[in-house]
Amino acid sequence: MVTRTSNVRVVEARYIEQRIPRYKGNPLIEALPPVPTDEALIKQLLRLPDFDVEQREWPTEDRLQMVGGLSMFLLPLERHIRLARALDTLVRGGYVGRAPSTPEYARIYQALYEAQQQGVAFLEMVETPDESQLSSSLIGMSGVGKTTALRRIFRRYPSTIYHPEHHVYQVPFLHIEAPHDGLSVKGLAGSILRKLDLLVPDSDFYDTYVNTRGRSSGEMLLINLAAHAMHTYCVGALIVDEIQNLSNRGTSKSTLMSALVSATNQLGVPIIFVGTTKALDVLGLNYRQGRRSVGHGFQTWNAFATSRDLADPDEWEDFVSVLWQYQWIANPVQLTQHLSDALYFCCQGVPDLAIKIFACAQWRAMLEETEIFSVHSFNAIMKDELAIVEPMLDAIRTGNTKLLRQYDDIPHLKFDTLLDNALGQYQGVMQPGANIRPGDPEFGPAVADVLIAAGIDESRAKTLAKRVEADNKVVGIVAGAKAALTIAQPKPARRGDSTKKEADKQEVSLAPDDLRNAFRLSKADGLSVLEHLTTMGAACRLEEVLGLV
């Protein structure tokens, strides 16, 4: 049964008897989906684009869009299975001792109430079972798919479960992100309340306590209120994503981390810190916080490891072998060890970049009408479309951890943006006459018409068009006209040519009585310029002027 209230999708609890002794009789655990086998889990996590080999015959505009479907590609690897198992154990373990309508459940309410009365966040008076200490962190470089994996894994769980017998709503997981400009204690509480209001019908915690009274509410009271809401709605796990952004908050990050740890202690709600390697600075604020962010099967997510041997695959080879099958170009390229190694070098095993390079290579092949790509295509894409991430990739290649920390976050490049950029670079392909080549009866006359419109004489225009067609170096009317205009422009004179040509012109055009002839004659016969000026009657000797002769 599915009910809809206030546009919120809620499922009614259906209970599954548990075999694990500490899980038995707990409706919050019994309402969760059963633990799947590895095979079933792989099928649930797998995300592949719609593909059929017949689609390679579709028009270019349709195939361009189909390549964009690679944005949802996710191939479950061993790391995904391990993460899914760890998260499931974490959520179930966090619910131990928190079953509704039990003394333990009521005791937490009492502690929250007394803390609120005293104007503090929490009181150190509630003993929670060991499972509530199972918070952890998922740390790894940007682009390896941490957030994507978490969202895909938690899609296995209903967003909200209603328990009619207990009149309780259950939210198995709550995923919030720290904004890039940092997250304060008050901001964290507000994010929790706002998200819960979206998931639970008729919930109005945020509007009631933040929008209307937020300015007068202290940060600690808001944290207490957020904890109250998480307990009321039986939150199974709190995921705080982009935790590295807490480093932007200066000294307040210590206060916030303490609040998060206290929430875990008091409520028994596991918290999963997710972030890049910069998050280690946040999680290592002190021993207590660092200790609580490690363990429980959460490995560091680095780039895919490679064996450099398709016959003996590691993570990268498994990934690229499946990805490679999704080609919409007319002449699909067979995967070779050389191509695999080249793509790995370009993306350094970062799956997000590998998918985007692979997509861009197909877009280029379609727009250039070659319908094929190569290692050269990968290199050109890294130079053009993905140049912004090259500094970070260089840091990975050299193993420079200090430099890598500066480029911790890979700039987010959306598929739509990459496609728009590709179309922009090859917009000429979409223009009339863009595909007309030399040898086509329309090529020469069309190029000549463009030149005539530019003001070139008709006869000259036809001659230039014939020269461009004979060179056979360009494709398209626009490219042909540009080449012809380049030929039509006079070549710039080399340095010194202008002076020499002007002098030659003067030699021919000077009149016999032009005094400048004295300089020309002086160079020819070796006599002085004065002697030639004297002969021409334009000068006389000094002795004659002084009357000495």
Side-chain angles (χ1 to χ4, degrees):
M1 174 183 177
V2 176
T3 62
R4 294 182 182 273
T5 308
S6 304
N7 296 321
V8 177
R9 185 176 186 274
V10 181
V11 299
E12 187 173 300
R14 293 291 184 267
Y15 303 110
I16 300 174
E17 186 176 353
Q18 300 295 298
R19 177 181 298 175
I20 308 299
R22 66 181 182 278
Y23 294 167
K24 287 185 175 182
N26 189 323
L28 300 179
I29 299 176
E30 292 178 341
L32 295 175
V35 179
T37 63
D38 284 353
E39 293 75 13
L41 188 55
I42 289 173
K43 290 181 180 180
Q44 292 174 2
L45 300 181
L46 182 67
R47 293 190 69 187
L48 300 176
D50 294 327
F51 176 77
D52 191 292
V53 292
E54 295 181 357
Q55 295 168 357
R56 292 170 177 161
E57 301 176 4
W58 287 4
T60 299
E61 56 268 24
D62 291 337
R63 291 185 293 133
L64 289 171
Q65 299 300 323
M66 293 302 296
V67 172
L70 288 171
S71 62
M72 51 86 72
F73 182 90
L74 192 155
L75 177 69
L77 302 173
E78 182 180 353
R79 64 170 66 186
H80 297 90
I81 303 302
R82 289 181 59 185
L83 178 61
R85 297 289 186 212
L87 288 171
D88 190 72
T89 302
L90 193 68
V91 171
R92 294 174 189 274
Y95 278 133
V96 173
R98 294 173 55 202
S101 304
T102 62
E104 293 83 1
Y105 186 77
R107 193 176 299 122
I108 293 175
Y109 269 132
Q110 184 67 32
L112 292 171
Y113 169 74
E114 293 180 9
Q116 185 177 20
Q117 291 296 94
Q118 297 183 27
V120 296
F122 303 101
L123 290 177
E124 296 291 341
M125 60 179 298
V126 179
E127 294 184 3
T128 51
D130 292 340
E131 282 79 4
S132 66
Q133 307 297 319
L134 295 178
S135 298
S136 191
S137 62
L138 178 60
I139 304 299
M141 63 184 300
S142 180
V144 295
K146 303 182 298 296
T147 300
T148 299
L150 281 170
R151 288 175 175 167
R152 189 65 182 172
I153 289 169
F154 277 119
R155 283 190 63 182
R156 298 180 49 248
Y157 302 84
S159 299
T160 311
I161 304 172
Y162 179 61
H163 299 260
E165 182 179 348
H166 303 280
H167 304 290
V168 166
Y169 286 100
Q170 175 186 359
V171 177
F173 67 95
L174 193 65
H175 189 176
I176 61 174
E177 292 188 9
H180 290 290
D181 58 351
L183 184 65
S184 65
V185 174
K186 185 175 181 178
L188 171 66
S191 296
I192 292 172
L193 295 173
R194 185 165 47 244
K195 192 65 175 285
L196 285 173
D197 284 349
L198 293 174
L199 294 173
V200 179
D202 303 322
S203 176
D204 60 355
F205 272 103
Y206 185 81
D207 287 337
T208 301
Y209 295 99
V210 180
N211 277 349
T212 59
R213 296 190 290 175
R215 291 185 178 180
S216 61
S217 298
E219 290 185 339
M220 292 299 101
L221 291 181
L222 278 175
I223 281 291
N224 184 278
L225 181 63
H228 184 278
M230 286 194 291
H231 185 58
T232 298
Y233 296 140
C234 303
V235 173
L238 174 63
I239 302 101
V240 184
D241 212 339
E242 306 295 347
I243 192 69
Q244 71 277 0
N245 291 336
L246 298 187
S247 61
N248 298 332
R249 298 298 304 185
T251 56
S252 66
K253 60 186 178 183
S254 180
T255 303
L256 178 56
M257 290 296 294
S258 295
L260 289 173
V261 170
S262 296
T264 302
N265 286 338
Q266 299 299 316
L267 300 178
V269 176
I271 298 181
I272 304 160
F273 302 107
V274 184
T276 63
T277 51
K278 277 186 179 179
L280 295 175
D281 296 334
V282 177
L283 298 175
L285 288 173
N286 57 51
Y287 174 77
R288 178 191 179 205
Q289 293 158 1
R291 176 177 57 83
R292 293 192 41 80
S293 68
V294 297
H296 200 64
F298 286 63
Q299 66 182 109
T300 300
W301 276 38
N302 294 317
F304 287 167
T306 177
S307 65
R308 299 181 63 86
D309 185 358
L310 292 172
D312 183 21
D314 206 329
E315 284 184 311
W316 167 257
E317 286 73 26
D318 287 336
F319 167 81
V320 75
S321 296
V322 176
L323 176 67
W324 208 266
Q325 301 173 30
Y326 295 90
Q327 298 184 45
W328 285 267
I329 53 178
N331 302 314
V333 180
Q334 183 177 0
L335 178 62
T336 64
Q337 189 64 54
H338 180 57
L339 285 167
S340 174
D341 293 344
L343 182 56
Y344 186 89
F345 177 81
C346 287
C347 72
Q348 286 300 293
V350 178
D352 179 67
L353 292 179
I355 293 170
K356 287 169 180 173
I357 295 170
F358 188 62
C360 286
Q362 295 191 55
W363 284 331
R364 282 196 173 211
M366 294 175 189
L367 294 170
E368 291 178 343
E369 297 187 334
T370 60
E371 296 292 339
I372 198 170
F373 61 80
S374 64
V375 171
H376 175 73
S377 304
F378 299 158
N379 295 331
I381 290 165
M382 294 304 302
K383 181 179 179 182
D384 299 332
E385 286 92 332
L386 300 181
I388 191 173
V389 302
E390 192 61 32
M392 198 197 83
L393 293 173
D394 283 339
I396 298 175
R397 294 184 186 112
T398 59
N400 189 331
T401 55
K402 183 178 180 180
L403 183 61
L404 182 59
R405 187 65 65 91
Q406 298 178 18
Y407 301 104
D408 189 65
D409 291 328
I410 293 179
H412 186 56
L413 301 171
K414 295 183 178 179
F415 263 76
D416 292 345
T417 302
L418 291 173
L419 177 56
D420 289 343
N421 291 341
L423 290 172
Q425 292 182 18
Y426 298 96
Q427 194 60 43
V429 177
M430 304 302 187
Q431 298 172 352
N435 297 323
I436 298 179
R437 300 173 178 271
D440 189 298
E442 298 183 21
F443 184 84
V447 171
D449 288 343
V450 175
L451 298 178
I452 294 171
I456 297 178
D457 178 75
E458 180 179 354
S459 177
R460 174 72 170 153
K462 291 180 178 180
T463 300
L464 291 171
K466 289 181 180 179
R467 285 188 58 182
V468 171
E469 188 167 16
D471 289 342
N472 195 26
K473 294 180 179 179
V474 297
V475 177
I477 304 304
V478 174
K482 288 177 65 176
L485 288 171
T486 301
I487 297 174
Q489 293 178 355
K491 295 182 179 179
R494 291 177 298 177
R495 189 172 183 179
D497 285 356
S498 177
T499 303
K500 183 176 184 301
K501 289 181 179 179
E502 186 64 25
D504 292 343
K505 181 179 179 182
Q506 290 175 347
E507 282 190 36
V508 176
S509 60
L510 292 178
D513 58 349
D514 194 312
L515 298 181
R516 287 175 291 180
N517 284 320
F519 295 90
R520 176 176 58 81
L521 294 172
S522 175
K523 292 180 180 180
D525 58 18
L527 297 176
S528 68
V529 174
L530 178 60
E531 289 178 301
H532 284 291
L533 289 174
T534 301
T535 302
M536 297 171 63
C540 60
R541 296 180 180 278
L542 181 61
E543 294 87 347
E544 294 179 0
V545 176
L546 296 176
L548 298 178
V549 178

